């Protein structure tokens, strides 16, 4: 488990490129036949990926010990979105078939979660976020058709995109975790511009569906102290509540967003005009 400490906005202003990447960028999400895990002190979110191929992968008791509990989800909830081939997730003996761009919510208290692929040559890639939870809500699979879609933006401003809200109050009840998948249309490059902050929630962006020689310039920092991170395929960025979070790609791409914090109101944002950015 990697651990990332909270960074004050004044401190972030003094970081160079390598230091910004060390603090906010998660460069490796998937590792074959294993899981990755990054624990952020920012709202205690955990981010990672599970990529089973020839064998089943489960999160062991060692994670519980690191978290000071008996097992991983003793006091946590979990959201998973599969961006790879079809896979299976077994939660305390109940099997869920999770296909490409399908999601699973796992409530607090699940003791054993096992991940496997239907076809080892086309392994599942389970991207997940986990947040502290105070009560237990039912496990639920969410298909792309069941997600709450919203198409916004315009080709003229290069930000036409569809937001698929998988884990949001309109779809199912959770303690605090929300997650969704946003697809940019061909020819559109910008996400979340004009940008915003939300003082009451932090967010993590996971970028994928990118070719080897493409990249996203992820904009971060306070609105009048902007910085950027160069992000490649299947990498994630941790965004504190004081930071903007927007990106422009060299080609269209897809990203998964996950939020944790005080509320689950999707449009609770402090908008920033482009003219106000520095």
């Amino acid at each position: 488990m990697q651990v990332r400490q909270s960074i004050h906005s004044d401190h972030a202003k003094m970081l160079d490129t390598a230091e910004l990447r060390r603090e906010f960028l998660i460069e490796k999400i998937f590792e074959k036949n294993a899981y990755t895990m990054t624990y952020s002190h920012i709202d205690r979110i955990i981010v990672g990926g599970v990529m089973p191929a020839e064998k089943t992968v489960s999160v062991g008791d060692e994670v519980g010990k690191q978290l000071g509990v008996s097992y991983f989800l003793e006091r946590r909830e979990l959201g998973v979105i599969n961006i790879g081939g079809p896979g299976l997730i077994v939660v305390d003996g109940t099997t869920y078939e999770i296909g490409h761009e399908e999601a699973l919510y796992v409530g607090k208290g699940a003791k054993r979660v096992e991940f496997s692929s239907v076809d080892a040559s086309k392994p599942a890639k389970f991207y997940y976020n986990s947040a502290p939870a105070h009560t237990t809500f039912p496990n639920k699979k969410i298909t792309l058709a069941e997600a709450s879609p919203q198409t916004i933006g315009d080709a003229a401003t290069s930000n036409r995109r569809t937001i698929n809200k998988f884990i949001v109050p309109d779809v199912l009840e959770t303690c605090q975790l929300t997650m969704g998948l946003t697809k940019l249309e061909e020819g559109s490059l910008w996400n979340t511009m004009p940008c915003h902050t939300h003082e009451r929630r932090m967010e993590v962006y996971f970028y994928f569906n990118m070719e080897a020689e493409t990249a996203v310039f992820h904009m971060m920092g306070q609105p009048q102290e902007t910085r950027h991170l160069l992000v490649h395929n299947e990498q994630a960025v941790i965004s504190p509540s004081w930071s903007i979070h927007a990106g422009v790609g060299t080609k269209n791409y897809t990203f998964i967003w996950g939020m944790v914090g005080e509320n689950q109101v999707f449009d609770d944002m402090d908008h920033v005009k482009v003219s106000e950015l520095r």
Side-chain angles (χ1 to χ4, degrees), residues 127-146:
Y127 172 74
Y128 72 88
N129 288 174
S130 174
H134 62 276
T135 193
T136 300
F137 291 108
N139 303 336
K140 184 177 179 179
K141 172 184 172 178
I142 310 103
T143 66
L144 192 60
E146 293 169 327

Side-chain angles (χ1 to χ4, degrees), residues 40-272:
S40 173
H41 285 189
I42 304 172
D43 284 312
R44 306 290 172 177
I45 194 171
I46 292 178
V47 180
V50 187
M51 185 180 171
E54 296 84 10
K55 65 179 184 178
T56 297
V57 177
S58 61
V59 179
D61 293 341
E62 73 281 355
V63 173
K65 293 176 183 178
Q66 289 176 294
L67 296 175
V69 291
S70 301
Y71 53 94
F72 180 32
L73 297 181
E74 182 177 348
R75 299 178 60 84
R76 285 184 162 270
E77 58 187 353
L78 178 72
V80 182
I81 298 177
N82 181 15
I83 68 164
L88 304 173
I89 302 179
V90 181
V91 183
D92 289 339
T94 300
T95 301
Y96 299 89
E97 297 181 6
I98 308 298
H100 181 69
E101 294 185 352
E102 292 185 339
L104 180 68
Y105 170 78
V106 182
K108 169 184 171 291
K111 291 186 176 180
R112 187 165 184 84
V113 184
E114 300 172 301
F115 302 85
S116 61
S117 295
V118 173
D119 183 350
S121 66
K122 299 177 182 177
K125 290 183 174 182
F126 298 110
Y127 172 74
Y128 72 88
N129 288 174
S130 174
H134 62 276
T135 193
T136 300
F137 291 108
N139 303 336
K140 184 177 179 179
K141 172 184 172 178
I142 310 103
T143 66
L144 192 60
E146 293 169 327
S148 177
Q150 181 183 15
T151 299
I152 60 174
D154 195 288
T157 49
S158 190
N159 66 349
R160 185 72 171 170
R161 61 201 188 275
T162 298
I163 305 171
N164 298 284
K165 303 172 187 176
F166 280 95
I167 300 175
V168 296
D170 289 344
V171 177
L172 78 163
E173 194 170 11
T174 69
C175 290
Q176 62 169 322
L177 180 66
T178 59
M179 291 181 74
L181 183 152
T182 299
K183 290 186 176 183
L184 274 70
E185 295 186 3
E186 186 173 357
S188 285
L189 305 175
W190 279 101
N191 71 67
T192 326
M193 184 60 71
C195 61
H196 62 264
T197 60
H198 27 70
E199 189 66 33
R200 292 149 293 277
R201 296 191 304 276
M202 65 83 67
E203 192 159 7
V204 176
Y205 274 14
F206 168 64
Y207 292 97
F208 65 104
N209 280 351
M210 296 166 59
E211 298 168 4
E213 288 302 317
T214 65
V216 172
F217 290 80
H218 178 93
M219 308 301 171
M220 62 165 296
Q222 291 179 298
Q224 284 72 48
E225 290 282 350
T226 58
R227 302 289 188 271
H228 79 268
L229 292 169
L230 194 76
V231 184
H232 291 285
N233 189 45
E234 298 183 355
Q235 295 182 340
V237 180
I238 300 169
S239 180
S241 58
W242 48 261
S243 176
I244 65 170
H245 36 283
V248 60
T250 58
K251 194 176 183 294
N252 64 318
Y253 51 90
T254 307
F255 69 100
I256 293 172
W257 44 268
M259 291 184 285
V260 174
E262 296 290 345
N263 66 29
Q264 296 177 307
V265 182
F266 185 80
D267 58 0
D268 180 14
M269 307 171 186
D270 301 313
H271 295 279
V272 182

